[in-house]
Amino acid sequence: MAGSVTVVDYGSGNLHSVAKALERVGASSVDVSADPAAIRSAQRIVFPGVGALGDCMAELRRRELDTAITDAVAGGTPLLGVCVGMQALFEHGEESGGTAGLGLMAGQVRAFPDNLQDLTTGQRLKVPHMGWNEVHQVIEHPLFAGIPQDARFYFVHSYYAEPAGPDPIAAFTLYPYPVTAAVAAENVFGVQFHPEKSQEHGLTLFANFLTWDGRP
C-alpha cells in the first residue's frame, strides 16, 4: 500500500508537478514542507530540484534542511533525489567555483564540456542536455520494477554527477558518452531525469518509490 511522502521545499523546484504526480500514483498524503522537523519525521522524502546546485545548497543550509535530510537518511528514511536533488547528494559540485553538497555519496558534480559532439555524425550536441533519452539500467532495483530496459525519460541539465566509483551507479544515459542517470546506495536513490515529466515510466518510478522500504 502506498504511504505518505514529504516533498522538500527549499524555495525552488518543480514542487507542484512532483506533488501532483505523487498524488496521481496513489500516495496516501503528500506534504510539501520547508519544516526541518517534518523532514526528520517523514515516512518517505522526495527531494526535487531545478536550476543551480549552489543556490539549492545555500537555501537548504539557510533553512536548516540540509541536516534534516541527512538526519532522516541516517535514520533509514527512504529518499528520492530528482535532478539537482540527485546532484546535491554528492560531496562537491564545480559550479561557481565550487559548492559543497550533502555528502551522502562520494563524488563530484561536473559541467558538460562545450565541445560535445555526436560520435556518429560529428554534429555538436547542445548544453544543457534537454529532452528525451534512453536510460540503461545497470543494477536491479525496486524502483525500476516494471520499467523496461532503455526506457526513455526526460532530462534537463548542464551538469552531471560523477561518482567516485562505480558502486552507486544504477543507470546511465548516453550524451554522447555514458552519463550517470540514476544512483542508489542503501535507502537513497537519485535520478538525473524528471519522473514527473516522463509520462508512464516516470509515474511507475514514483509509484515504486511509494512502496519502497529503503532496501535494495
Side-chain angles (χ1 to χ4, degrees), residues 10 12-14 48-53 55-56 82-85 156 194 196-197:
Y10 64 92
S12 184
N14 44 336
V50 296
L53 177 61
D55 293 342
C56 169
V82 175
C83 195
V84 172
V156 184
H194 288 271
E196 75 282 1
K197 298 180 180 179

Side-chain angles (χ1 to χ4, degrees), residues 5-8 18 22 25 43-49 69 73 77-87 89 104-105 141 143-144 181-196 202-210 212 214:
V5 60
T6 300
V7 179
V8 178
V18 168
L22 291 164
V25 296
Q43 186 178 68
R44 289 179 181 83
I45 300 169
V46 173
F47 175 21
I69 291 171
V73 168
T77 304
L79 170 70
L80 173 62
V82 175
C83 195
V84 172
M86 183 193 94
Q87 295 177 4
L89 301 176
L104 294 172
M105 294 187 181
H141 194 280
L143 266 68
F144 287 145
V183 292
E186 298 181 346
N187 54 314
V188 176
F189 198 87
V191 293
Q192 182 61 68
F193 51 82
H194 288 271
E196 75 282 1
L203 292 177
T204 298
L205 189 142
F206 272 154
N208 290 339
F209 178 69
L210 292 179
W212 183 41

Side-chain angles (χ1 to χ4, degrees), residues 34-113:
D35 179 5
I39 303 301
R40 286 188 173 91
S41 63
Q43 186 178 68
R44 289 179 181 83
I45 300 169
V46 173
F47 175 21
V50 296
L53 177 61
D55 293 342
C56 169
M57 291 305 305
E59 280 301 300
L60 287 180
R61 293 188 177 102
R62 187 180 71 81
R63 299 171 185 230
E64 298 181 355
L65 294 172
D66 56 334
T67 54
I69 291 171
T70 55
D71 287 349
V73 168
T77 304
L79 170 70
L80 173 62
V82 175
C83 195
V84 172
M86 183 193 94
Q87 295 177 4
L89 301 176
F90 287 87
E91 295 168 306
H92 184 267
E94 64 181 21
E95 177 185 353
S96 303
T99 296
L102 294 172
L104 294 172
M105 294 187 181
Q108 308 289 320
V109 178
R110 304 197 183 280
F112 279 115

